[in-house]
Structures are given as structure tokens and as C-alpha cells.
Amino acid sequence: MIFFSIATDVGFSYWLAQYFARELGAGPGLFSSVVAIYLVGIIAGRFLIPFALKRMSLRADLCLSLGIALAALVAFILVPSVPAKAVLGGLYGLGVGPTFPLMLARGTREFPRQSGAVTGVLFAGMSLGGMVFPLLVGELGRRFTIARAYWFCAAAVLGLLVAGLAMRDGPGNGARRAGGRQEEAR
């Protein structure tokens, strides 16, 4: 999951300025700022994680984040308005931003005695995804268009969402903590 999480992030952002400049005809002021708008979304999404985890489980937060990312990316692809695409790029960043830290937290929580090894494997997957997906999106963009190549990213986000929905709740998540508090009150 971490491979595809970073892959969809980097695969999207790597070609974002090029997409706005080449396929949408946006001027330098806009196509250079769309990546910044996207990154503001990523940063905002990562800053909101602690607040979200106080109200929901890690799994629920992951699924909500991926749902926002998927909806924003599909709208980004389909909406013809260039300014709307810039805003939707930021919303996509807001949704995809929390996925990496949430999966990293889940992995180290699942294997607390091997957290160093788990972190190493997760970062290897992250690096591989960040290396492979921009090349794939670029090749698809060269053959078809960048807009059509972004459907590949949307399919990967959909796969992540399905995997998140199928994931079991792990120990120490918000749902169990709430149940534990009810038991303590009795």
C-alpha cells in the first residue's frame, strides 16, 4: 500500500506543471503555482491527522483521506475549468497527504519490536513507488495525454481505497480505545 500511496502522490505531482502548461495552455504564473497549491494540500492533510485521529480510527481516517483524494482526482480529470483544476489539485493533496504517515504508523504499530526493519521496508517501497510511477505516468502521457495518464493514478487510489476498506482494525485504534473506555467505566 505504501508503494501505491507515494506512487500516486509523486506520479501526479511530477507531471502537474507540465500538464497545466502543455495540455491546458496555462501561463507561467499559474502552471508554476499549481504544484505549490498541491503541496499546500499535502501539508494541510498531514497537519490534520492528529485532530482526525482523536475522532476516528486510523483505518477510518485512511479511508476518508483516500475517498477525498479519489473524488478530487476524478473531478480534477473531468472538470474543464483551469482554475477549478488548480483548486481540485489542492484538494487531492489534502486527501492523499495523510496516507503515507498513516500507513507508516500502522506498519510500525503492527510490528513494534521490529519498527526499524518495518520502517526500512516501508521507505524502500515508498522510494520505489516515487521512482516508478512518474516514469509510468510520463510514458502514458507521451502516448495518450497527461490527462488520460492521470486515470492510472485514479485507478491506483481506488485500489488503495478498496484495500483500506478491506483492512482490519488494528490494536490501539480509536474504535478500540472507545470500547476500552466503556469497559473501564463499568
Side-chain angles (χ1 to χ4, degrees):
M1 284 181 74
I2 201 109
F3 170 87
F4 287 107
S5 166
I6 296 303
T8 57
D9 174 1
V10 178
F12 176 81
S13 64
Y14 192 86
W15 296 101
L16 192 56
Q18 183 87 8
Y19 171 64
F20 271 78
R22 190 171 59 184
E23 293 184 20
L24 300 177
L30 181 59
F31 79 71
S32 63
S33 65
V34 292
V35 176
I37 294 168
Y38 171 71
L39 290 173
V40 165
I42 291 269
I43 292 165
R46 290 187 178 162
F47 272 121
L48 293 173
I49 291 172
F51 302 108
L53 289 176
K54 288 180 182 175
R55 293 169 176 40
M56 63 181 76
S57 70
L58 185 143
R59 178 183 168 270
D61 190 12
L62 179 65
C63 291
L64 177 63
S65 295
L66 289 167
I68 290 169
L70 181 61
L73 184 54
V74 168
F76 174 90
I77 295 167
L78 296 175
V79 169
S81 166
V82 174
K85 283 183 182 287
V87 171
L88 288 164
L91 187 59
Y92 175 66
L94 182 73
V96 81
T99 59
F100 166 68
L102 288 169
M103 284 189 240
L104 186 63
R106 171 109 184 188
T108 56
R109 187 187 68 211
E110 291 288 324
F111 303 97
R113 292 191 176 149
Q114 295 100 10
S115 63
V118 168
T119 302
V121 169
L122 292 175
F123 271 87
M126 174 193 79
S127 298
L128 186 61
M131 179 181 76
V132 170
F133 247 60
L135 296 172
L136 288 173
V137 171
E139 184 57 27
L140 290 170
R142 187 183 67 76
R143 289 180 185 223
F144 305 107
T145 62
I146 296 171
R148 288 190 180 142
Y150 279 154
W151 283 109
F152 187 64
C153 291
V157 174
L158 176 61
L160 284 169
L161 179 58
V162 169
L165 291 169
M167 196 167 52
R168 65 174 173 76
D169 281 329
N173 67 32
R176 284 214 177 153
R177 277 194 307 267
R181 276 189 230 119
Q182 289 172 352
E183 288 296 318
E184 290 172 14
R186 290 183 196 167

